Amino acid sequence: MRPFAMELLALPKAVPEARRALREHLGVPCPEAELCLSELLANVIAHVGEGTPVSVRVARAQGRTRVEVSDPEPHADPEPHAGPVPRRPGIEDETSRGLLLLDDVAPRWGVEEEQARGRTGWCELATGP
C-alpha cells in the first residue's frame, strides 16, 4: 500500500470526510484504522481547538498499519511526560472514551511531542496477511 497523506482543518465535519478519503485510498473498509483516525482528529478538536491545521498520515510497514495525526501547535512544556492516559468516565459523562477506544483497538498508541514542531498522536494496528 502506498502511504496516505492529507492536510485538513480539524473541524467536526472533516472527521467523516477524512474517514471516507482513507477508505477510498485503501479500497476496502478498515474500521479499526477509521476509528483511530476519528479519535485522533477528535482529540485535536477537543484539546487544541477547532480549525487547527493538521496532517494525517497512514502507512503500512513491518506487518503494522500506523495512523498519525499531527498538529503544528508548539507545546510549551519542555519536560517530557508520560502523555495521555485513558481514564474511566462516569456513566453520565459524555466524553473521555476516545483513549479507551484506541487502547482497545490498537496494540500500540501514543503521542510524540516536539516543542517547536507540534504534536503527533499515533496508533499502530496489526495488518492482516
Side-chain angles (χ1 to χ4, degrees):
M1 171 187 101
R2 67 188 194 286
F4 170 80
M6 70 184 298
E7 307 289 322
L8 58 109
L9 296 178
L11 296 166
K13 70 177 187 173
V15 176
E17 294 168 6
R19 283 194 313 260
R20 184 175 51 253
L22 176 59
R23 194 169 40 251
E24 288 173 2
H25 176 80
L26 296 173
V28 294
C30 185
E32 294 86 0
E34 292 175 40
L35 174 68
C36 289
L37 176 57
S38 295
E39 291 306 321
L40 293 171
L41 282 170
N43 281 344
V44 172
I45 293 167
H47 300 290
V48 182
E50 283 191 34
T52 300
V54 296
S55 301
V56 174
R57 290 171 305 285
V58 179
R60 287 187 178 156
Q62 300 173 347
R64 293 185 302 251
T65 299
R66 184 173 171 107
V67 179
E68 298 179 347
V69 175
S70 299
D71 70 74
E73 283 295 308
H75 300 282
D77 185 3
E79 296 299 318
H81 54 83
V85 175
R87 69 176 187 86
R88 298 276 174 213
I91 196 163
E92 297 295 322
D93 290 341
E94 294 183 11
T95 62
S96 300
R97 288 171 176 78
L99 293 179
L100 290 173
L101 288 169
L102 285 182
D103 208 40
D104 231 22
V105 171
R108 290 177 25 123
W109 63 271
V111 175
E112 297 169 358
E113 294 187 39
E114 294 184 46
Q115 188 175 359
R117 298 184 66 206
R119 179 182 309 182
T120 299
W122 59 271
C123 63
E124 291 181 351
L125 304 163
T127 301

